[in-house]
Amino acid sequence: MQARRILSLDGGGIRGLVSCIWLGGVEDVLAQAGKPGLLRNFDLVAGSSTGAIIACGLGLGLSPDAMRELYKTRRHEIFPGMAGRLWSRATRLLSAGPSAPRYDAKGLEAVLREVFGDTVFGALPTPTVITAYDTLARKPVVFKSFHPDHRDLPVWEICRASTAAPTYFPAHGMTIAGRACSLIDGGIVANNPTACAIAEALRHDRQISHCGSLVVLSIGSGERNRPIPLQSAREWGALEWAVPIIDVLFDGNTDSVDYIARQLVGDAYCRMQAELLAGLDDLDDTSATNIAALEMLATDYLQQADTRDKLKALVARL
């Protein structure tokens, strides 16, 4: 397997909309350079959580613009509003108790089943890597479309597993190579899956002798900058940390992988990321105001001179 050119996609819930807009910008720059087709220019794609949905959607043949519209038109099914959440929680009170996940995942599953149908992982034309975490084995699971144990698994189920963010969605049960698994969000393992993709490239492509032979495009979904005050961090216990700790874990491993990849790959590593304004960083804010703000942030980032220069340098290497 040739794997010199890597595309990596972060998690981030509804902020996957930002990733799709940036991917559309990359596709435009590639076309202007005479290199049409986003995935034609990459040998390996990796995704975590919402990035898993985007990675598999691209592999299915959907354009970045089509994925963008998917997030916009189906967002209320994936993340139901307050009325839907209260009704869902009421119906789950006896089975799951008062601390059930915020969403029951029925809408998410319905969307994934409709988008991916019966497609199996190995049918994706571009080698694809998706992350998740098995709570039974207490180990990461790295799904690989080219692995014998994974290629016949339904794509929708792999995406469902990778998007099962604790406190937001229930874990997803799957059987992999005859073993029962309880899978949660890939962001627990690597919200930025770039390092996983680099490891696979070095392992499978014998023509790559070192990381300097790689070209890597890592797509973020917006970077949180909302502080947790010292007083809160000192005083919070299990109840107060329950939801914020998920965001902290995702942010921490995203930034650490970014640092590692930058040191390993050097100038051939291109990271697209922008700071989110306060109030735009929730994983599940599907309000029209938030969607419009995310679209504006993503579009403004593409229009910056530094971003345009960065993408031109990337395309020249692909």
Side-chain angles (χ1 to χ4, degrees):
M1 180 181 76
Q2 182 182 356
R4 186 182 70 85
R5 304 168 301 173
I6 294 171
L7 173 62
S8 176
L9 302 163
D10 283 15
I14 193 60
R15 301 198 318 267
L17 176 68
V18 172
S19 305
C20 293
I21 294 172
W22 288 345
L23 286 168
V26 174
E27 189 173 56
D28 290 343
V29 176
L30 284 167
Q32 292 165 13
K35 300 178 180 180
L38 182 65
L39 286 195
R40 292 179 185 175
N41 291 279
F42 292 96
D43 309 308
L44 180 65
V45 182
S48 285
S49 196
T50 203
I53 297 176
I54 299 170
C56 292
L58 294 173
L60 199 65
L62 298 175
S63 68
D65 284 346
M67 292 301 300
R68 173 184 179 177
E69 285 304 307
L70 177 70
Y71 275 85
K72 290 180 67 175
T73 59
R74 310 300 293 274
R75 66 187 193 273
H76 295 304
E77 296 172 61
I78 297 171
F79 298 112
M82 182 62 71
R85 291 204 305 271
L86 289 176
W87 174 252
S88 172
R89 186 174 291 276
T91 60
R92 290 179 288 148
L93 187 60
L94 292 178
S95 61
S99 61
R102 186 175 300 182
Y103 306 101
D104 59 21
K106 291 181 180 178
L108 171 62
E109 289 189 11
V111 172
L112 293 176
R113 285 176 181 271
E114 181 179 329
V115 171
F116 297 110
D118 297 327
T119 305
V120 295
F121 202 31
L124 299 182
T126 303
T128 304
V129 172
I130 302 296
T131 62
Y133 184 83
D134 182 4
T135 65
L136 294 179
R138 297 295 291 267
K139 291 181 179 180
V141 175
V142 181
F143 292 103
K144 308 168 189 177
S145 62
F146 43 87
H147 193 288
D149 290 342
H150 303 156
R151 60 191 177 199
D152 292 327
L153 296 173
V155 170
W156 81 263
E157 283 208 74
I158 290 174
C159 290
R160 169 66 177 87
S162 188
T163 54
T167 75
Y168 290 91
F169 293 113
H172 184 64
M174 289 182 69
T175 300
I176 304 172
R179 183 174 61 83
C181 299
S182 169
L183 301 170
I184 60 175
D185 199 289
I188 299 297
V189 177
N191 200 52
N192 174 354
T194 303
C196 296
I198 289 173
E200 289 300 324
L202 293 175
R203 179 183 178 188
H204 289 283
D205 193 335
R206 296 180 180 178
Q207 296 180 9
I208 299 175
S209 57
H210 54 83
C211 290
S213 304
L214 299 172
V215 179
V216 179
L217 172 58
S218 178
I219 303 287
S221 61
E223 185 173 22
R224 294 181 183 88
N225 58 9
R226 190 189 307 189
I228 297 176
L230 175 61
Q231 191 71 14
S232 297
R234 281 178 168 173
E235 296 177 353
W236 281 356
L239 183 62
E240 293 86 355
W241 273 112
V243 173
I245 195 63
I246 301 301
D247 296 336
V248 171
L249 289 172
F250 287 178
D251 292 347
N253 75 45
T254 293
D255 291 340
S256 64
V257 169
D258 177 45
Y259 171 81
I260 292 168
R262 198 174 300 278
Q263 304 310 309
L264 290 175
V265 182
D267 291 341
Y269 172 73
C270 177
R271 173 73 169 164
M272 298 186 72
Q273 185 66 298
E275 276 199 1
L276 294 163
L277 300 175
L280 300 183
D281 53 0
D282 289 332
L283 297 175
D284 60 344
D285 184 352
T286 58
S287 67
T289 300
N290 191 56
I291 295 301
L294 289 175
E295 289 184 311
M296 182 178 295
L297 177 143
T299 302
D300 288 348
Y301 178 80
L302 284 176
Q303 293 174 348
Q304 294 174 12
D306 181 62
T307 303
R308 293 198 301 268
D309 292 343
K310 184 188 300 185
L311 291 181
K312 288 178 182 177
L314 168 76
V315 169
R317 291 187 170 98
L318 290 173

